[in-house]
Amino acid sequence: MMDAYRLASEPYYLPVGDEVAQFEAAWQARLPTMLKGPTGCGKTRFIEHMAWRLGRPLVTLACNEDMTASDLVGRWLLDAGGTVWQEGPLTLAARHGAICYLDEVVEARQDTIVAIHPLTDTRRALPLEKRNEVVQAHDDFQLVISYNPGYQSMLKDLKQSTRQRFVAIDFHYPPPERETAIVMHEGHVGDDLARRLVAVAGKTRNLKGHGLEEGASTRMLVYAATLVARGIAPVQACRMAVVQPLTDDAHMQAALSDLVLTFFD
Amino acid sequence: MMDAYRLASEPYYLPVGDEVAQFEAAWQARLPTMLKGPTGCGKTRFIEHMAWRLGRPLVTLACNEDMTASDLVGRWLLDAGGTVWQEGPLTLAARHGAICYLDEVVEARQDTIVAIHPLTDTRRALPLEKRNEVVQAHDDFQLVISYNPGYQSMLKDLKQSTRQRFVAIDFHYPPPERETAIVMHEGHVGDDLARRLVAVAGKTRNLKGHGLEEGASTRMLVYAATLVARGIAPVQACRMAVVQPLTDDAHMQAALSDLVLTFFD
Amino acid sequence: MMDAYRLASEPYYLPVGDEVAQFEAAWQARLPTMLKGPTGCGKTRFIEHMAWRLGRPLVTLACNEDMTASDLVGRWLLDAGGTVWQEGPLTLAARHGAICYLDEVVEARQDTIVAIHPLTDTRRALPLEKRNEVVQAHDDFQLVISYNPGYQSMLKDLKQSTRQRFVAIDFHYPPPERETAIVMHEGHVGDDLARRLVAVAGKTRNLKGHGLEEGASTRMLVYAATLVARGIAPVQACRMAVVQPLTDDAHMQAALSDLVLTFFD
Amino acid sequence: MMDAYRLASEPYYLPVGDEVAQFEAAWQARLPTMLKGPTGCGKTRFIEHMAWRLGRPLVTLACNEDMTASDLVGRWLLDAGGTVWQEGPLTLAARHGAICYLDEVVEARQDTIVAIHPLTDTRRALPLEKRNEVVQAHDDFQLVISYNPGYQSMLKDLKQSTRQRFVAIDFHYPPPERETAIVMHEGHVGDDLARRLVAVAGKTRNLKGHGLEEGASTRMLVYAATLVARGIAPVQACRMAVVQPLTDDAHMQAALSDLVLTFFD
Amino acid sequence: MMDAYRLASEPYYLPVGDEVAQFEAAWQARLPTMLKGPTGCGKTRFIEHMAWRLGRPLVTLACNEDMTASDLVGRWLLDAGGTVWQEGPLTLAARHGAICYLDEVVEARQDTIVAIHPLTDTRRALPLEKRNEVVQAHDDFQLVISYNPGYQSMLKDLKQSTRQRFVAIDFHYPPPERETAIVMHEGHVGDDLARRLVAVAGKTRNLKGHGLEEGASTRMLVYAATLVARGIAPVQACRMAVVQPLTDDAHMQAALSDLVLTFFD
Amino acid sequence: MMDAYRLASEPYYLPVGDEVAQFEAAWQARLPTMLKGPTGCGKTRFIEHMAWRLGRPLVTLACNEDMTASDLVGRWLLDAGGTVWQEGPLTLAARHGAICYLDEVVEARQDTIVAIHPLTDTRRALPLEKRNEVVQAHDDFQLVISYNPGYQSMLKDLKQSTRQRFVAIDFHYPPPERETAIVMHEGHVGDDLARRLVAVAGKTRNLKGHGLEEGASTRMLVYAATLVARGIAPVQACRMAVVQPLTDDAHMQAALSDLVLTFFD
């Protein structure tokens, strides 16, 4: 039943520190776990890797503000013979022992998030008021959320009553050597190009808060490398994959383009 | 019918003061009762303990802003043979004599909360306008709500017309000796580690309002202990279970990490 | 058909002034009537008493912001053989001659309240647009609303076009002798304790607007008395039933606790 | 079919000026007409009187913010044999030649009000998009709205593009002689009492904008007279029917009570 | 099928300038067209006239804020045999070659307006996502919108990405001679009265922005003339049809009444 | 099945720079692609051209604020035999290998946009929670969005977590020679007129931010040319197609009209 949620092959993931051991300890105790880190640094890839490594199905939800508690838990649908219960992905994961991954959890209304609280209590039970049923979570169920701390406004933040229900694993961009290896592997380019792209990214990350909302992610470097591998010149590839997506400000675009030129001339 | 709502085994709860006797007096008179206290200090565990002790089923609702009066009281659903009545959890509890526990009641819209008022009047009756029925509460029905007073904004507070319908039992973090015992029992660690974790928590609680929104809860200490029991070093466990979940502020994280080091070096 | 809405026994009510005669005059002319007064002073009990005294069924609605005109008036529901009309409680009361009591009417959206206007006009008719029917109110129908005037914000107030459709009966906390008698009767305690509780309440009522949003209601005193009758010490009972429900402010709680001690030492 | 909307007997109405002739001229040309005036001055009674006089059915709608265009125009409902068209009251009136009276039109969302525009154009046609039908208004259809100009905020006002589609008839409280006659007729009291009540009302109307939102309406005087006729003393009757409904401000209530005493001592 | 949308007789329209030729050029190229001008100056009458002149059915929509894309495009309805497609008026017009006229287009949410964009692209196609169908517009389909430029707030304005998809035809009040002819024809009055009414209107239009939100429209003059033709004195007719509808401000009403007297004494 | 989404003939598109090669490189790697540029500069035409060139069906969605995740992904509809799955256009494109083009993506609520994130991850999978199915994107599926960077307010902008998932291709108005050729081809006019129109547009583009929100688009020039070809004088055509649509400000309209005269006298 959960086969659609099992990963078919091992997702490529290059560990940066002790995150694998940390997650495994949390998993063994089935502690609710929060992955903190900037956009595009590899949190989603990490949880896919861990789900594959632990042999568990992975139910992923991209959170958004329209998501209601019913979208998580389930609802009644009308069928030919009356109403049928449409199990929500959170209930599905809890009942069948999947890892349930709520991506960008702060995008959900905090009040919707409250629906996950009972699964983080000691009883690990999910009350389905609409069915008058209390689902006892499967022994292998684990709840994981992702969270970008540099990103939230006051209006969109996790409440303490939610935060304190999770242990946290901290993510950052990989160190240059590791990131170079990732760009080579994922972008199918050589060491020299990858190294230059990583250097460009490092410069942009220093500009965070100084004209840029975020620095370039590892994902962006992989995109740039991919374009070069398809015949786009490196400077143009950086413009398409890094400069233009990062900012709409003409002055900032010019500064970033100059920066790119210092690495590729 | 209410078996799904009965606790299968005695929930662990270590009393801190006279709260058990206070609750029993309120229960005997079936007074609506409000549990006041900070997040993670044991309010939910307490009501589970009391429900088990008094032999009553416990219907728990995690309140949220999407919760309508219909979610509490019930609604009509379409079935093969027409519409059928879907009894809401509050009605279920009132009709069959359960304790109904509304967790984090201020998350609900205050106007939805008004739906519980008739059950707190002398008549203890719940009008189901949608069925033209007035449910007389079972003799064993009791209404209990939880409330975190340090937490509410002006916009989200209980109105006097609701508050004055409840007697209140006050909760705080347990005193150090009790909290140490809880961490040892729940986290499966020894006395020395538990004592140090409790000391760390005490320091963070002093920082409430001075850079931290809340101090570390007992739950966080249990998580940290659990991670240590699974092989994570104590300093790293505190980082995962206390420092990172408490705050996103880099300076505050550094200060808390230093604080942890003074207890584990 | 209206039996569910008839009171089975005489509700205890101790008159404070001429309110019974005033209500009877309004009832004889079937004038729409507004009960004004602070929370917990006995408005709901009064209308229950009058309904019993006048031998009329009483349809009570706790108003809230989600309440739509359809919740008052009625709606079409889907049944096996198509849609059926679900009569709303206001229509039910109008058609069958009950007293319809809208509790805390300002909680309803004022625009929903407009739905009651036609029943307060000379024609006493309720148009059901959804059925293309105009219900002529039963001769015994009366509309009664409750309203806490010290409580409303600018945003939630009755509009003049609504207010001017009602005659008003003013309620206040009962004078000490009457309130003592009520606490003795309802709380099952002796004269001395009741008298002290009433004295405490008097002091808190003087603090309204000086740190307290509202003073202690008669209901709170009954709760405190009830706890004492169940074995809780008077000071602790006041803390549970008066101090903690009245305020979350630590300084105010301390001041109120000191105040309680001056009456029970 | 429109019998439910015909008035059974002549509604009592005492003309104040030329309003009957003005309305009849507008009616003859079927011009959309707006009745402007303060709350409770007799606008609704006037249109009932005119509908009776002109022998037309009267479809009244108390406007409110929840009212959608579908509530005016109609909607599809599900029935045993599929969906059936539920004709809205505006469509009903347009098709069968009733006077359609939108009471307190500014309470409706202005955007909903746009739905009435096509019936005020020369073509007098109402497009039912949901039925792909264009209803040509019956020759006897007339659209009338009421509007309280002293009352609207900037946020709730009629837009010029709506206002300019109506001719207006201005209403005020009746002059003393007329108002005294109305109070005598409607309240079943003698000349002396009615005269004093009208004098009280005159004083309160001078206080509009000086502590009172509105002055006392004719309706309030009829209520006060009615209470006196049922045995309530005049001063108390004024308190119930005028002072308390007009204001919640304690100082203003005292001033109004003093004012009442100067007329009844 | 579109017969309900064909005009039965020629709508009276007196051209003011080259607007007929301008519209015909836009029509020949099927360019999306925007009629700009103040309220009541004849935009709706013009498009009715052009539809009659060009022999095309006219589908008119009075835009409002509740209008969703589905109201324009269509939706699925439940029928006895399942769901049936309810074609929206925009789709109807596109498929069968009508002129689709969106009146007061800025009243619609700008995001709903986006639904018309594909019909203004070169492909003139309307994707019906809900049917997985792409409707190719009929050769005779044309999209026309009306827009009152002096009226919009910053919050309600057409976006450039919408505006730039339309050619515009500018409308103003007709010059005095033409307006006099219109008032005579539509109001069934003589030259002298019509001339005076047009003079009054001219004065009020100078007051736009100086105490009046808008000046008197041609429509208002026709109303005033109509009332005079039904026996109302000219000064009173101006009060009913011009002064009272234009403003609620007592001072402004007095000034306008004086102004009227200077033309009719 | 996707035939309705295939272009029947080659859409006219005159390349401005390397955009075709850039898009082809992104297409080969199936990278999610963002077309950035001002309104009316040819982004939609470009993607139609590329879809035709690459032989792929094109599913276009005009984004708007009402668009929910279900509108993109799909929903259950009620049919005669129960509920049937209505596949959304995004799912349709993903399953059958179309290019999915989200036009004016910032008009959609950013939270709805989150629904496209999983298709931009390495796994290129779209979870349909409502069907408990995970759709693996067809090899030929590509996601393309359009975005007008000079246009967004702070409230409506693409979030970094979305932006960083796309490579960007930059669009501007074509250089004069190219734009002249486009106007000649699309507007069916000669070289001299087209050249003058392009010169007018250039002047308006310099006024962007100096009284104009946007400059004239290429589309506007084509409209003006089209009107001239239908017999409207050039100055009047510019007034209809450029001046009036660009601005409602009377002073700005006069300045633009003067500007037009300098090119056509």
Short mmCIF file of all heavy atoms in Angstrom, two decimals, chain E residues 216-257:
data_model
loop_
_atom_site.label_atom_id
_atom_site.label_comp_id
_atom_site.label_asym_id
_atom_site.label_seq_id
_atom_site.Cartn_x
_atom_site.Cartn_y
_atom_site.Cartn_z
N ALA E 216 -23.52 65.86 -11.79
CA ALA E 216 -24.76 65.20 -12.20
C ALA E 216 -24.58 64.55 -13.56
O ALA E 216 -24.02 65.14 -14.49
CB ALA E 216 -25.89 66.22 -12.25
N SER E 217 -25.10 63.34 -13.71
CA SER E 217 -25.00 62.63 -14.97
C SER E 217 -26.20 62.97 -15.86
O SER E 217 -27.21 63.51 -15.40
CB SER E 217 -24.99 61.12 -14.71
OG SER E 217 -26.18 60.76 -14.07
N THR E 218 -26.06 62.65 -17.12
CA THR E 218 -27.17 62.81 -18.05
C THR E 218 -28.39 62.03 -17.57
O THR E 218 -29.52 62.51 -17.65
CB THR E 218 -26.74 62.31 -19.45
OG1 THR E 218 -25.53 62.96 -19.81
CG2 THR E 218 -27.81 62.61 -20.49
N ARG E 219 -28.13 60.86 -17.02
CA ARG E 219 -29.23 60.05 -16.52
C ARG E 219 -30.06 60.80 -15.48
O ARG E 219 -31.28 60.74 -15.46
CB ARG E 219 -28.66 58.78 -15.89
CG ARG E 219 -29.71 57.81 -15.41
CD ARG E 219 -29.17 56.84 -14.35
NE ARG E 219 -27.89 56.29 -14.68
CZ ARG E 219 -27.70 55.03 -15.11
NH1 ARG E 219 -28.73 54.23 -15.27
NH2 ARG E 219 -26.48 54.59 -15.35
N MET E 220 -29.36 61.52 -14.56
CA MET E 220 -30.07 62.28 -13.53
C MET E 220 -31.00 63.33 -14.15
O MET E 220 -32.10 63.58 -13.65
CB MET E 220 -29.07 62.99 -12.64
CG MET E 220 -28.46 62.08 -11.59
SD MET E 220 -27.24 63.02 -10.67
CE MET E 220 -27.29 62.14 -9.10
N LEU E 221 -30.54 63.97 -15.21
CA LEU E 221 -31.35 64.99 -15.87
C LEU E 221 -32.60 64.36 -16.46
O LEU E 221 -33.69 64.93 -16.42
CB LEU E 221 -30.53 65.70 -16.94
CG LEU E 221 -29.20 66.31 -16.46
CD1 LEU E 221 -28.54 67.07 -17.59
CD2 LEU E 221 -29.40 67.19 -15.24
N VAL E 222 -32.42 63.18 -17.04
CA VAL E 222 -33.57 62.47 -17.61
C VAL E 222 -34.56 62.13 -16.50
O VAL E 222 -35.78 62.28 -16.66
CB VAL E 222 -33.11 61.21 -18.36
CG1 VAL E 222 -34.30 60.37 -18.81
CG2 VAL E 222 -32.24 61.60 -19.56
N TYR E 223 -34.06 61.70 -15.33
CA TYR E 223 -34.95 61.41 -14.20
C TYR E 223 -35.72 62.68 -13.78
O TYR E 223 -36.93 62.64 -13.55
CB TYR E 223 -34.15 60.91 -12.99
CG TYR E 223 -33.74 59.46 -13.03
CD1 TYR E 223 -34.01 58.63 -14.12
CD2 TYR E 223 -33.08 58.89 -11.94
CE1 TYR E 223 -33.62 57.30 -14.13
CE2 TYR E 223 -32.70 57.56 -11.93
CZ TYR E 223 -32.96 56.77 -13.04
OH TYR E 223 -32.58 55.45 -13.04
N ALA E 224 -34.99 63.79 -13.66
CA ALA E 224 -35.65 65.03 -13.22
C ALA E 224 -36.73 65.42 -14.23
O ALA E 224 -37.86 65.77 -13.85
CB ALA E 224 -34.61 66.14 -13.07
N ALA E 225 -36.40 65.34 -15.51
CA ALA E 225 -37.37 65.66 -16.54
C ALA E 225 -38.59 64.75 -16.44
O ALA E 225 -39.74 65.18 -16.52
CB ALA E 225 -36.72 65.54 -17.92
N THR E 226 -38.35 63.48 -16.21
CA THR E 226 -39.44 62.50 -16.11
C THR E 226 -40.37 62.86 -14.96
O THR E 226 -41.60 62.76 -15.07
CB THR E 226 -38.84 61.09 -15.90
OG1 THR E 226 -37.98 60.80 -17.00
CG2 THR E 226 -39.93 60.04 -15.80
N LEU E 227 -39.80 63.28 -13.82
CA LEU E 227 -40.63 63.64 -12.67
C LEU E 227 -41.47 64.88 -12.99
O LEU E 227 -42.64 64.96 -12.62
CB LEU E 227 -39.77 63.89 -11.43
CG LEU E 227 -39.16 62.63 -10.78
CD1 LEU E 227 -38.17 63.02 -9.69
CD2 LEU E 227 -40.26 61.74 -10.20
N VAL E 228 -40.85 65.85 -13.66
CA VAL E 228 -41.61 67.04 -14.05
C VAL E 228 -42.77 66.64 -14.96
O VAL E 228 -43.91 67.09 -14.79
CB VAL E 228 -40.69 68.08 -14.74
CG1 VAL E 228 -41.53 69.24 -15.29
CG2 VAL E 228 -39.65 68.60 -13.76
N ALA E 229 -42.48 65.75 -15.92
CA ALA E 229 -43.53 65.28 -16.83
C ALA E 229 -44.66 64.57 -16.09
O ALA E 229 -45.77 64.42 -16.60
CB ALA E 229 -42.92 64.36 -17.89
N ARG E 230 -44.38 64.08 -14.85
CA ARG E 230 -45.40 63.40 -14.05
C ARG E 230 -46.01 64.36 -13.01
O ARG E 230 -46.68 63.91 -12.08
CB ARG E 230 -44.80 62.21 -13.30
CG ARG E 230 -44.15 61.20 -14.19
CD ARG E 230 -45.17 60.23 -14.81
NE ARG E 230 -44.49 59.37 -15.79
CZ ARG E 230 -45.10 58.40 -16.47
NH1 ARG E 230 -46.39 58.19 -16.30
NH2 ARG E 230 -44.43 57.68 -17.33
N GLY E 231 -45.70 65.66 -13.15
CA GLY E 231 -46.41 66.62 -12.32
C GLY E 231 -45.66 67.15 -11.11
O GLY E 231 -46.20 67.93 -10.33
N ILE E 232 -44.42 66.73 -10.92
CA ILE E 232 -43.63 67.28 -9.81
C ILE E 232 -43.05 68.62 -10.27
O ILE E 232 -42.60 68.76 -11.41
CB ILE E 232 -42.50 66.31 -9.42
CG1 ILE E 232 -43.07 64.94 -9.03
CG2 ILE E 232 -41.62 66.89 -8.32
CD1 ILE E 232 -43.84 64.92 -7.72
N ALA E 233 -43.06 69.62 -9.36
CA ALA E 233 -42.52 70.93 -9.73
C ALA E 233 -41.02 70.81 -10.00
O ALA E 233 -40.33 70.01 -9.36
CB ALA E 233 -42.76 71.92 -8.59
N PRO E 234 -40.50 71.61 -10.96
CA PRO E 234 -39.10 71.46 -11.36
C PRO E 234 -38.11 71.53 -10.19
O PRO E 234 -37.17 70.74 -10.12
CB PRO E 234 -38.88 72.62 -12.34
CG PRO E 234 -40.24 72.86 -12.94
CD PRO E 234 -41.21 72.60 -11.83
N VAL E 235 -38.31 72.49 -9.26
CA VAL E 235 -37.35 72.60 -8.15
C VAL E 235 -37.36 71.33 -7.31
O VAL E 235 -36.31 70.80 -6.93
CB VAL E 235 -37.69 73.84 -7.29
CG1 VAL E 235 -36.91 73.82 -5.99
CG2 VAL E 235 -37.37 75.11 -8.09
N GLN E 236 -38.56 70.83 -7.02
CA GLN E 236 -38.66 69.59 -6.23
C GLN E 236 -38.10 68.41 -7.03
O GLN E 236 -37.43 67.53 -6.47
CB GLN E 236 -40.13 69.34 -5.87
CG GLN E 236 -40.40 68.07 -5.08
CD GLN E 236 -39.70 68.07 -3.74
OE1 GLN E 236 -39.42 69.12 -3.16
NE2 GLN E 236 -39.35 66.90 -3.25
N ALA E 237 -38.34 68.39 -8.31
CA ALA E 237 -37.81 67.30 -9.15
C ALA E 237 -36.29 67.30 -9.14
O ALA E 237 -35.65 66.24 -9.08
CB ALA E 237 -38.33 67.45 -10.59
N CYS E 238 -35.68 68.49 -9.19
CA CYS E 238 -34.23 68.57 -9.11
C CYS E 238 -33.74 68.11 -7.75
O CYS E 238 -32.70 67.46 -7.63
CB CYS E 238 -33.74 70.01 -9.36
SG CYS E 238 -33.83 70.48 -11.11
N ARG E 239 -34.50 68.46 -6.70
CA ARG E 239 -34.12 68.01 -5.36
C ARG E 239 -34.14 66.48 -5.30
O ARG E 239 -33.22 65.86 -4.77
CB ARG E 239 -35.07 68.61 -4.33
CG ARG E 239 -34.69 68.29 -2.92
CD ARG E 239 -35.36 69.18 -1.87
NE ARG E 239 -35.02 68.68 -0.55
CZ ARG E 239 -33.88 68.94 0.07
NH1 ARG E 239 -32.98 69.73 -0.49
NH2 ARG E 239 -33.61 68.40 1.24
N MET E 240 -35.19 65.88 -5.86
CA MET E 240 -35.31 64.42 -5.80
C MET E 240 -34.30 63.71 -6.70
O MET E 240 -33.75 62.66 -6.35
CB MET E 240 -36.72 63.99 -6.22
CG MET E 240 -37.80 64.30 -5.19
SD MET E 240 -39.47 63.94 -5.83
CE MET E 240 -39.46 62.14 -5.93
N ALA E 241 -34.07 64.26 -7.88
CA ALA E 241 -33.29 63.52 -8.89
C ALA E 241 -31.83 63.94 -8.94
O ALA E 241 -30.99 63.21 -9.47
CB ALA E 241 -33.92 63.67 -10.26
N VAL E 242 -31.51 65.12 -8.42
CA VAL E 242 -30.13 65.60 -8.53
C VAL E 242 -29.51 65.84 -7.14
O VAL E 242 -28.50 65.24 -6.79
CB VAL E 242 -30.06 66.89 -9.38
CG1 VAL E 242 -28.62 67.41 -9.47
CG2 VAL E 242 -30.62 66.65 -10.78
N VAL E 243 -30.13 66.74 -6.36
CA VAL E 243 -29.48 67.18 -5.12
C VAL E 243 -29.32 66.04 -4.12
O VAL E 243 -28.20 65.74 -3.68
CB VAL E 243 -30.28 68.34 -4.48
CG1 VAL E 243 -29.65 68.76 -3.16
CG2 VAL E 243 -30.37 69.52 -5.44
N GLN E 244 -30.44 65.39 -3.77
CA GLN E 244 -30.38 64.33 -2.76
C GLN E 244 -29.52 63.14 -3.20
O GLN E 244 -28.71 62.64 -2.41
CB GLN E 244 -31.80 63.86 -2.40
CG GLN E 244 -32.54 64.83 -1.49
CD GLN E 244 -32.04 64.75 -0.05
OE1 GLN E 244 -31.42 63.79 0.35
NE2 GLN E 244 -32.29 65.81 0.71
N PRO E 245 -29.64 62.67 -4.42
CA PRO E 245 -28.75 61.56 -4.81
C PRO E 245 -27.27 61.95 -4.87
O PRO E 245 -26.41 61.12 -4.63
CB PRO E 245 -29.27 61.16 -6.20
CG PRO E 245 -30.70 61.59 -6.20
CD PRO E 245 -30.72 62.87 -5.40
N LEU E 246 -26.97 63.23 -5.17
CA LEU E 246 -25.56 63.60 -5.32
C LEU E 246 -24.82 63.64 -4.00
O LEU E 246 -23.64 63.29 -3.94
CB LEU E 246 -25.44 64.98 -5.99
CG LEU E 246 -25.40 65.02 -7.51
CD1 LEU E 246 -25.17 66.45 -7.99
CD2 LEU E 246 -24.32 64.11 -8.09
N THR E 247 -25.47 64.06 -2.92
CA THR E 247 -24.71 64.26 -1.67
C THR E 247 -25.58 64.11 -0.44
O THR E 247 -26.79 64.37 -0.47
CB THR E 247 -24.06 65.67 -1.66
OG1 THR E 247 -23.33 65.81 -0.43
CG2 THR E 247 -25.11 66.78 -1.72
N ASP E 248 -24.96 63.69 0.68
CA ASP E 248 -25.63 63.62 1.98
C ASP E 248 -25.26 64.81 2.86
O ASP E 248 -25.78 64.94 3.96
CB ASP E 248 -25.24 62.33 2.73
CG ASP E 248 -25.71 61.10 2.00
OD1 ASP E 248 -26.71 61.18 1.28
OD2 ASP E 248 -25.08 60.05 2.18
N ASP E 249 -24.36 65.64 2.38
CA ASP E 249 -23.87 66.74 3.20
C ASP E 249 -24.90 67.88 3.20
O ASP E 249 -25.29 68.40 2.13
CB ASP E 249 -22.54 67.23 2.62
CG ASP E 249 -21.95 68.36 3.45
OD1 ASP E 249 -21.22 68.07 4.41
OD2 ASP E 249 -22.25 69.54 3.13
N ALA E 250 -25.35 68.29 4.40
CA ALA E 250 -26.45 69.26 4.51
C ALA E 250 -26.06 70.61 3.89
O ALA E 250 -26.86 71.24 3.20
CB ALA E 250 -26.84 69.43 5.97
N HIS E 251 -24.82 71.04 4.11
CA HIS E 251 -24.38 72.32 3.55
C HIS E 251 -24.36 72.26 2.02
O HIS E 251 -24.83 73.15 1.33
CB HIS E 251 -23.00 72.69 4.08
CG HIS E 251 -22.98 72.89 5.55
ND1 HIS E 251 -23.66 73.91 6.17
CD2 HIS E 251 -22.38 72.18 6.54
CE1 HIS E 251 -23.47 73.84 7.47
NE2 HIS E 251 -22.70 72.79 7.73
N MET E 252 -23.83 71.18 1.51
CA MET E 252 -23.75 71.01 0.06
C MET E 252 -25.15 70.93 -0.55
O MET E 252 -25.40 71.48 -1.63
CB MET E 252 -22.97 69.73 -0.24
CG MET E 252 -22.36 69.70 -1.62
SD MET E 252 -21.01 70.91 -1.77
CE MET E 252 -21.16 71.30 -3.53
N GLN E 253 -26.04 70.23 0.17
CA GLN E 253 -27.43 70.15 -0.33
C GLN E 253 -28.05 71.55 -0.40
O GLN E 253 -28.73 71.88 -1.38
CB GLN E 253 -28.27 69.26 0.60
CG GLN E 253 -27.93 67.77 0.49
CD GLN E 253 -28.73 66.91 1.45
OE1 GLN E 253 -29.43 67.44 2.31
NE2 GLN E 253 -28.60 65.60 1.32
N ALA E 254 -27.79 72.39 0.62
CA ALA E 254 -28.35 73.74 0.61
C ALA E 254 -27.77 74.54 -0.56
O ALA E 254 -28.50 75.23 -1.29
CB ALA E 254 -28.04 74.43 1.95
N ALA E 255 -26.47 74.43 -0.76
CA ALA E 255 -25.82 75.15 -1.87
C ALA E 255 -26.39 74.72 -3.21
O ALA E 255 -26.69 75.54 -4.09
CB ALA E 255 -24.31 74.93 -1.82
N LEU E 256 -26.58 73.40 -3.38
CA LEU E 256 -27.11 72.91 -4.64
C LEU E 256 -28.56 73.35 -4.83
O LEU E 256 -28.98 73.69 -5.94
CB LEU E 256 -27.02 71.38 -4.71
CG LEU E 256 -25.61 70.79 -4.83
CD1 LEU E 256 -25.67 69.27 -4.83
CD2 LEU E 256 -24.93 71.27 -6.12
N SER E 257 -29.32 73.35 -3.72
CA SER E 257 -30.72 73.79 -3.82
C SER E 257 -30.77 75.26 -4.24
O SER E 257 -31.61 75.65 -5.08
CB SER E 257 -31.44 73.59 -2.49
OG SER E 257 -31.52 72.21 -2.20
#
